[in-house]
Amino acid sequence: MTETVRIPGEWHIGYQYTIGTFASAFFEGLRKGEILGSLCEQNGEIAVPPKSFNEQAFVPTDKLVNVGLEGTIEAVTIVTAPYAGSPDVPYAVAYVKLDGATSSIANYVHGVDLGDGTTLPDALQIEAPVHVVFSKEPEGRVTDFWFEPGRA
């Protein structure tokens, strides 16, 4: 039996893909300083980021609405291990339910002293209020905004 030979290497492949109308509208909204959700008119749920189908009602959604720029933390973690392209550790990521939405969206939380990353600060507790801050030069990416503690 021949031993398997492994040759180390890396592939760097650029690509583009179509994200669909709802995601396109979401990212265009970020450029304008707004966050859009999809409204299911059958059950009133507003998904953020927007989805073209509501899994609870089993119906397509076809209406986009603005949601609030303030909300509450539903889940949070402090990341202490770096990886390629990550911010300096420690940093925080939270799932936040924005006012008017029925789902939550994840993003970085800035403006909180994380110390050595081993203790969750009061500002990052579950149900703690946060607000959205937009980049001064938005590019239509999810990194165009982040959360900061408290109400705006």
Side-chain angles (χ1 to χ4, degrees), residues 6 18-19 23 28-29 40 44 52 65 70-71 73 105 124-125 132:
R6 297 182 190 260
T18 303
I19 60 175
E28 186 57 33
C40 176
S52 60
V65 296
E70 297 180 331
I73 294 174
I105 185 169
L124 296 181
Q125 297 294 321
V132 172

Side-chain angles (χ1 to χ4, degrees), residues 2-145:
T2 304
E3 185 176 321
T4 302
V5 176
R6 297 182 190 260
I7 301 170
E10 293 182 22
W11 291 16
H12 299 280
I13 302 172
Y15 61 92
Q16 292 183 356
Y17 57 91
T18 303
I19 60 175
T21 56
F22 275 51
S24 294
F26 175 76
F27 289 115
E28 186 57 33
L30 294 180
R31 286 182 197 252
K32 298 175 186 174
E34 58 189 24
I35 297 182
L36 297 175
S38 56
L39 170 64
C40 176
E41 295 189 274
Q42 184 166 328
N43 65 12
E45 290 184 357
I46 298 175
V48 177
K51 300 185 288 186
S52 60
F53 190 83
N54 181 286
E55 300 92 359
Q56 302 302 316
F58 296 104
V59 295
T61 56
D62 57 4
K63 186 173 185 178
L64 294 169
V65 296
N66 286 320
V67 297
L69 300 180
E70 297 180 331
T72 55
I73 294 174
E74 291 200 322
V76 64
T77 190
I78 297 175
V79 180
T80 58
Y83 63 91
S86 75
D88 292 338
V89 295
Y91 62 90
V93 175
Y95 276 90
V96 172
K97 185 186 288 186
L98 293 169
D99 294 346
T102 53
S103 67
S104 56
I105 185 169
N107 216 326
Y108 297 115
V109 182
H110 296 292
V112 179
D113 181 3
L114 299 174
D116 63 2
T118 60
T119 307
L120 191 64
D122 288 343
L124 296 181
Q125 297 294 321
I126 303 301
E127 297 187 4
V130 293
H131 64 278
V132 172
V133 176
F134 284 98
S135 168
K136 290 183 180 6
E137 297 181 23
E139 300 175 0
R141 297 172 172 250
V142 75
T143 51
D144 286 347
F145 79 96

